[in-house]
Every structure is written in structure tokens, then in C-alpha cells.
Amino acid sequence: MAKITIFDTTLRDGEQSPGFSMNMEEKLQMAFQLEALNVDVIEAGFPASSAGDFKAVNAIAKKVGRPVICGLARMVEGDITAAGNAIKPAKKRRIHVFISTSDIHMKYKLRKTRKEVLAMTRSGIALAKKFTADVEFSCEDATRSDPGFMYEVITEAIRTGATTVNIPDTVGYTVPEEYGRLIDGIFSNVPNIRNAVVSVHCHNDLGLGVANSLTAVMHGARQVECTVNGIGERAGNASLEEVVMAIKTRRDFLGHTTGIHTREIHKTSKLLSSITGIPVQPNKAIVGANAFAHEAGIHQDGVLKRRETYEIMTPQSIGLHQSKMVLGKHSGRHAFGRKMAELGFKLDKDQLDAAFERFKALADKKKEVFDDDLEAVVGDEITIAHRVYELAYFHTTTGNATIPTATVKLKKGGELLMAAATGDGPIDAVYNAIDKITGVKGRLANYQVRAVTGDKDAVGEVIVQVEFDLRRLVGRGVSTQVAARGRAASTDTVEASTMAYLSALNRVLNERGVR
Ligand code: KIV
Ligand code: ZN
């Protein structure tokens, strides 16, 4: 029996996929929760890819103490140096270097010969070793590589100092039996393989990411790379919760364990959805809303007589509980702070103050405040570093025989700015009024609204994707179209829509240093 290392790449492979990008504050929140989940390694980002990613990896390295903090780098000096510098403050640090070994990638993407790839592997790993002893090497597109050449590169990588060797199914192409044979081939043909941990990283293009990862474990892999909710490039990566719960539930067959605190799984999944605004499909294994719901009469009857008739794991084992009525308008700051921590939010004093204000306003409007309400209402409050524009007042008129009109007042520093506008509905009118005040024109690319809990007084959560034209802000001749996500919740959906739009705008302005 072995303890399988869980290498979480939610903040790197997951974060780089469309719709999942996170700012530094959001990445930090997720990293704290991954620490509570007890993952072994957090791949915190790709520091050379942007100044923002460097900062986020660096902040995680400073603040998240227990797991190994890892930064990704191509086999080039600039990337490796950036990764080395970003992870420097971490107690335990790893650099993950990668280079393609498949002919198609080497010829068309890298335009490098096999000899050059071998030489880059040696020099890259030697440089990474100057920053940390813990160096992971990935041969990208391993499953479409010539195995003979790949064995040679892996042997050299380990000889130069790689301590983990990762065999990615980059394009989600392999099938379990074939992947198992590839792992066997590596154990039999790489003479120094016992000096490194074999890792797997499976994409889900054919829906086989988890099956391939588990097969590799059965063939000797001891690290699995995965993401919360299975997010990642294209169809995503192997899902962390599925890999972990399969290893736990089928320990009788697989014979291994992980160090994951499985009761944190549900909270982690929810936090990611709440931060990114992207919900999990209801029938998703382990964390979908229906994963533990028994609908058919025969099933319900069986579960009532004996749970194990239809349930292979308990909802409690992943920390699932009914959304509880939590706090009321008389609840104090202390109880509120404890509740936020319990929900997975790690807040500093200013964030806690702002979140408490939002809670109080909600509790004034809604008799019963549930966990889900709090997550929705407070979630967005903590991830915007600075609010350039704040909603002070709005008023709308609408009807089936009137022109929808809105008056909006926004606070900007000490100033109060006001505009009125019409639209084809109250929300359109509010957005037009905001555009008039800010001088930044927004195009609504996506708009979603949902009731967070039941009943007519439910909190409505609005998620918007807005494309802003920043021409007036940055001057002509500069690339001006910027997309941003915004999310907000309120018992009033027009208010939630207004705040979500402002949240997207503030995000864009923050990134550009506008005050
Ligand atoms: O899918 C992949 O090959 C990767 C590598 C960088 C490990 O993400
Ligand atoms: Zn990947």
C-alpha cells in the first residue's frame, strides 16, 4: 500500500482555461482551501506567463505554509528564473519544467530536433536545481511520443536531478490499458526510474482522465495531477474529488490511500464555483447537486431500509450537509467571522468588516440567512482589491407600457456622480446610466441569474461577462477591448445585476491600476 501524492493544478492548468481566470485574491482564497483539503502539492501558476501570475504564485508561496508550492516553467532560462523567484518564500518549493517529446510537437510547435530537446532538458533541469532540490520534469504530449525517445529523455532528466517525472496525456488521447502499458514501459526501460516519483497528468478529452489516472496508479504511478471540479484546458483535467474518492471507496481493490481530508471536498468545490461563477453540472460525480440524491422510488425505499443498497459512500464523507439556517440580524461579528471561516473564507480585518456589512444588509431584508446565501452575498465582496466605483443609489421604472428608465448614483472617492438613461428593460437602463457616468462602454456578452435558495424572498445571484471598451480611459491606438466577469447577489435582482456589472468594471480598473 502506498500514499498517493495529490498534486493539485486547479490554479495553473485549471485557471488557464476560458472563464476560470482568477485574480490574486481569488487564487489565495483557493490556495488556503487547498491547504485545508490537505493536498500535497499546489501548482500555483505559471510565473513567466504574466506579472499577475508571478505575483499570485509569490503571494501563495509567502502565505500558504503546509503544501509544496510549485511554479511551472518551459525549458527556457527566463521561465525557470521567474518560477524560481516566485516560489522562493515557500517553506517547501518545487519547479515544474516541461518540454514536448512527441514528434508532432517538436517539429511544428518547438521547431527543435530530438538532440536539441535533450540538450534543453539537461540545461533546464540543471538551472532549476539551483533554485530548489525538488524539480519535476514533464515530457509534454507523452502519450503521442515515440516511447524509445521518451525513455532517453526521462533517463537524462533524472540523471540531471529531476525528482518527479510526469507523463502527461496532454491531449486526452490515451485509453486506460494503453496508458498502463506506457507506465510499465517506463519502469522497464528507464534504468534510473527508481530515483524519481512517477506522476500522471491526464486530460479529459475522451472522458477518460480519471480512469487513465487510476490505471497508471495500478501500474506504479505515485503522484496524480488533478483539479477541483475537473476544470482545465478544453474538456478539463482528471477531477481531484473523483480520483480521491475512488481511491478511498475502492481501497479494497486499488490498495492505496491519499492524505486528503475528504470532508473538505464539498466546501472546496463550492468555493471554486463561487469564485469563478461557473457552477458544477448537477450529475457530476461526487460534487454535483444530484450526486447523493435518490429520486427513483425503488432506490429511496432501498436507502431507507439500508443505506448501502444504493450508496457507495456517505454524503458526510465529502462534507456535504443541508444548507443550514445560520445567522440572523442579531448575530454578532464574532459569530459571523467563525461562520465565514467554516465556509472556507479566510478574511483579513477589512474584508471581514465589508462582508459583515453585506450580511447585516441582507439579514434586514431576509428573515432566514442560509450558508448558501452567505457564500453568494459575501463571496464577491472579498475578491475586489479596490472599488473605484461603488453603488450609492439606483431607481428604476418599468412596465409593459412605459419606457424603462434608470437613475443611478455612484461614489468615486469622495465624489457622487449621477446619470439617468433609458433602455429596453430596467437592467439595460441601469447599465446605460453607469456607462454614461464612467465613460466606459460595456457590452454584455453573458448574463445569468439564479435563485440561491428556495422561496420568494430568495437571494438572486447574477453573473455577468462584460466586454468593456476602454478607449476613453487609455487613449486611442491602444488595445481597448477587455472582457471581465462580475458576480453579485441580493434579494433584489436589479440591484444584484447592477453590482455584478460594477464588480466586472472594478476588476478591469483594478488590473489597470485606476484609482
Ligand atoms: O497537459 C500538459 O501536458 C501540461 C503540462 C504542462 C504538464 O499541462
Ligand atoms: Zn495539462
Side-chain angles (χ1 to χ4, degrees):
M1 189 180 90
K3 177 179 168 269
I4 306 299
T5 298
I6 297 297
F7 175 114
D8 180 273
T9 183
T10 307
L11 299 177
R12 199 278 298 169
D13 213 324
E15 199 264 350
Q16 77 191 39
S17 59
F20 287 98
S21 67
M22 295 174 224
N23 64 25
M24 188 171 91
E25 200 47 59
E26 292 168 330
K27 278 187 138 196
L28 253 177
Q29 287 291 326
M30 263 319 286
F32 286 131
Q33 182 53 32
L34 290 170
E35 184 178 38
L37 184 65
N38 210 31
V39 303
D40 300 287
V41 185
I42 294 178
E43 187 165 49
F46 185 178
S49 68
S50 68
D53 223 35
F54 182 96
K55 267 199 207 154
V57 175
N58 195 241
I60 292 169
K62 275 186 196 140
K63 296 187 180 170
V64 180
R66 200 206 42 77
V68 174
I69 306 301
C70 173
L72 181 71
R74 288 168 298 181
M75 268 318 169
V76 292
E77 194 184 329
D79 278 31
I80 297 167
T81 306
N85 289 333
I87 61 167
K88 207 173 261 168
K91 286 202 190 93
K92 292 182 262 174
R93 48 187 173 270
R94 176 181 295 187
I95 296 180
H96 177 188
V97 279
F98 73 100
I99 194 161
S100 295
T101 48
S102 68
D103 289 332
I104 183 168
H105 274 216
M106 287 188 291
K107 182 168 175 194
Y108 296 105
K109 190 184 85 165
L110 296 178
R111 297 182 201 281
K112 300 274 180 221
T113 62
R114 289 185 172 196
K115 221 169 135 188
E116 286 170 318
V117 164
L118 258 172
M120 286 171 79
T121 301
R122 279 192 213 101
S123 60
I125 293 175
L127 177 59
K129 291 294 275 191
K130 295 196 173 143
F131 292 94
T132 171
D134 185 347
V135 173
E136 172 168 335
F137 165 67
S138 280
C139 21
E140 194 187 2
D141 206 17
T143 52
R144 294 191 302 166
S145 300
D146 166 12
F149 175 60
M150 195 172 69
Y151 300 150
E152 200 183 333
V153 180
I154 294 174
T155 308
E156 275 308 297
I158 298 173
R159 188 174 295 145
T160 320
T163 43
T164 298
V165 170
N166 185 36
I167 316 298
D169 183 24
T170 303
V171 290
Y173 177 71
T174 197
V175 293
E177 192 150 340
E178 180 189 56
Y179 198 45
R181 277 194 230 136
L182 182 65
I183 303 296
D184 286 346
I186 289 166
F187 277 109
S188 336
N189 293 287
V190 175
N192 52 3
I193 194 67
R194 299 283 162 197
N195 298 337
V197 172
V198 173
S199 166
V200 288
H201 174 113
C202 298
H203 279 271
N204 209 26
D205 298 65
L206 295 173
L208 293 169
V210 172
N212 287 332
S213 304
L214 294 176
T215 306
V217 166
M218 288 166 70
H219 287 256
R222 290 294 174 259
Q223 173 175 286
V224 176
E225 304 197 355
C226 44
T227 58
V228 176
N229 296 346
I231 69 170
E233 279 286 0
R234 305 179 308 280
N237 289 60
S239 124
L240 179 147
E241 57 278 6
E242 293 176 27
V243 168
V244 167
M245 289 312 285
I247 292 175
K248 182 178 167 84
T249 308
R250 295 310 315 275
R251 190 167 164 190
D252 60 317
F253 183 75
L254 296 167
H256 302 303
T257 57
T258 71
I260 294 297
H261 296 161
T262 64
R263 283 172 186 269
E264 294 290 326
I265 284 179
H266 183 248
K267 191 195 286 180
T268 313
S269 162
K270 290 268 288 197
L271 184 65
L272 181 63
S273 298
S274 140
I275 284 175
T276 60
I278 300 189
V280 166
Q281 77 196 58
N283 59 323
K284 161 88 174 62
I286 318 294
V287 292
N290 295 348
F292 291 90
H294 303 278
E295 191 64 32
I298 297 175
H299 290 205
Q300 286 177 350
D301 181 54
V303 169
L304 286 174
K305 286 179 177 145
R306 190 169 174 91
R307 188 187 57 74
E308 290 86 349
T309 50
Y310 286 98
E311 236 175 49
I312 59 168
M313 51 199 160
T314 63
Q316 292 77 14
S317 65
I318 62 148
L320 186 64
H321 54 75
Q322 289 263 302
S323 181
K324 283 185 256 156
M325 211 267 276
V326 281
L327 304 164
K329 66 179 188 183
H330 302 296
S331 304
R333 188 180 302 261
H334 186 66
F336 176 77
R338 225 180 26 225
K339 189 74 209 168
M340 292 314 293
E342 213 180 289
L343 291 174
F345 293 99
K346 204 158 182 167
L347 308 177
D348 63 27
K349 189 182 167 307
D350 289 350
Q351 290 169 328
L352 188 65
D353 287 349
F356 188 63
E357 285 308 309
R358 296 276 292 128
F359 157 70
K360 281 290 191 191
L362 176 67
D364 267 343
K365 289 189 198 153
K366 193 172 185 286
K367 278 199 299 287
E368 299 172 322
V369 179
F370 293 85
D371 285 355
D372 290 353
D373 293 329
L374 275 186
E375 278 169 357
V377 170
V378 169
D380 201 54
E381 199 61 40
I382 54 172
T383 55
I384 309 258
H386 175 70
R387 282 165 205 281
V388 182
Y389 291 102
E390 271 183 281
L391 179 64
Y393 166 95
F394 79 94
H395 172 85
T396 58
T397 49
T398 190
N400 65 350
T402 187
I403 297 173
T405 312
T407 307
V408 176
K409 285 185 194 169
L410 300 182
K411 256 195 288 178
K412 185 177 189 238
E415 263 182 298
L416 199 58
L417 308 161
M418 182 172 83
T422 57
D424 65 5
I427 294 169
D428 187 40
V430 166
Y431 289 178
N432 289 336
I434 293 177
D435 289 358
K436 269 194 189 173
I437 294 174
T438 61
V440 177
K441 180 107 193 84
R443 192 187 79 79
L444 196 60
N446 199 323
Y447 175 92
Q448 294 172 46
V449 61
R450 75 174 179 107
V452 172
T453 48
D455 226 333
K456 288 199 293 247
D457 70 346
V459 165
E461 182 186 49
V462 173
I463 297 166
V464 293
Q465 186 77 29
V466 191
E467 281 161 16
F468 291 106
D469 184 344
L470 300 182
R471 201 169 334 185
R472 299 245 321 254
L473 218 62
V474 291
R476 284 172 208 288
V478 184
S479 162
T480 53
Q481 293 293 333
V482 187
R485 184 185 69 234
R487 194 176 64 87
S490 163
T491 48
D492 178 327
T493 50
V494 179
E495 184 181 42
S497 306
T498 309
M499 292 192 313
Y501 191 83
L502 284 175
S503 146
L505 178 64
N506 281 326
R507 204 173 279 269
V508 163
L509 298 179
N510 267 219
E511 272 157 23
R512 272 148 195 82
V514 178
R515 288 265 137 184

